[in-house]
Amino acid sequence: LTHSALIGAFTRWWDVRAEAKRTRGQLTKAAARMSMRQMAGAFICWQETLEANKHEKGVLRKAASAMMRRRLSRAYDRWAGCTEEAIEARATLTRFANKRLRATLLGWYTRWAGMTWEAKQMRVSLQRCACKIIRRTLSSAYKSWTECTQEALESRARLTRLAQQLMHSALI
């Protein structure tokens, strides 16, 4: 793989990571809105009950006191229950979003690592091929040089013998 392919793979991985992060943020905000809506409704109900009970307290002080405590307790228990549910829902959504994000990032990282490994293997193979080609070329050039050198030596020896024969025949 080329450098641009690796950059492209990394860019795609980065985009998926950003999208997952954005999705996780949206899920977290949605969970917060849902929990706030439930908590606000329960809190308003509790607050309204509290105000109603304060009025009743003035009119029926002792008799209403026991009823008021029971109502406040139930309203508070409802509000506390809604709060716990909202916390659990937010935690569940956060776990889900994080699990999904980890799975997506792991997939992209695994693909990127595989592509990097393949690129390294290809580079090693290409380097080996290049070394073989260079060795063959050098071997061929050396062989041609030795043949030319040997031929030149043989030609020189023949010329020397021929020159000696010519000199010897000229003397005779």
Side-chain angles (χ1 to χ4, degrees):
L1 294 170
T2 63
H3 181 67
S4 62
L6 286 175
I7 289 174
F10 180 77
T11 303
R12 287 188 300 278
W13 170 80
W14 187 263
D15 292 342
V16 166
R17 188 193 68 74
E19 177 64 24
K21 186 175 181 181
R22 186 183 66 77
T23 303
R24 185 176 64 199
Q26 288 174 344
L27 287 173
T28 303
K29 286 179 183 177
R33 279 194 303 270
M34 288 175 12
S35 66
M36 288 300 194
R37 195 174 296 135
Q38 288 175 345
M39 286 190 295
F43 182 75
I44 289 171
C45 178
W46 177 73
Q47 192 177 28
E48 289 171 354
T49 303
L50 180 66
E51 288 175 12
N53 284 334
K54 282 182 182 180
H55 177 70
E56 288 176 5
K57 188 177 181 182
V59 177
L60 306 168
R61 183 130 182 112
K62 288 189 177 186
S65 179
M67 286 175 31
M68 181 176 68
R69 277 185 247 127
R70 275 190 301 241
R71 282 185 181 177
L72 285 175
S73 177
R74 280 188 297 225
Y76 177 78
D77 289 344
R78 270 188 33 213
W79 177 77
C82 287
T83 302
E84 286 179 21
E85 288 177 15
I87 289 170
E88 289 173 12
R90 182 182 299 151
T92 301
L93 284 173
T94 301
R95 280 193 305 274
F96 172 76
N98 287 338
K99 186 176 181 180
R100 181 81 175 137
L101 176 64
R102 279 192 301 272
T104 301
L105 291 177
L106 178 63
W108 277 100
Y109 176 76
T110 303
R111 286 188 210 112
W112 175 78
M115 290 170 56
T116 302
W117 183 82
E118 286 176 12
K120 183 179 179 182
Q121 295 301 317
M122 186 171 287
R123 184 172 47 247
V124 168
S125 295
L126 288 173
Q127 286 173 343
R128 286 181 186 158
C129 287
C131 286
K132 282 182 181 181
I133 291 170
I134 290 170
R135 273 191 244 121
R136 283 183 189 155
T137 304
L138 288 175
S139 175
S140 175
Y142 179 74
K143 188 175 179 182
S144 296
W145 177 78
T146 56
E147 288 172 359
C148 287
T149 304
Q150 186 64 33
E151 190 177 309
L153 290 173
E154 290 171 2
S155 295
R156 189 176 295 152
R158 272 188 255 132
L159 283 173
T160 303
R161 273 186 270 134
L162 182 63
Q164 286 176 353
Q165 286 175 358
L166 285 174
M167 286 176 44
H168 184 63
S169 64
L171 290 175
I172 299 182

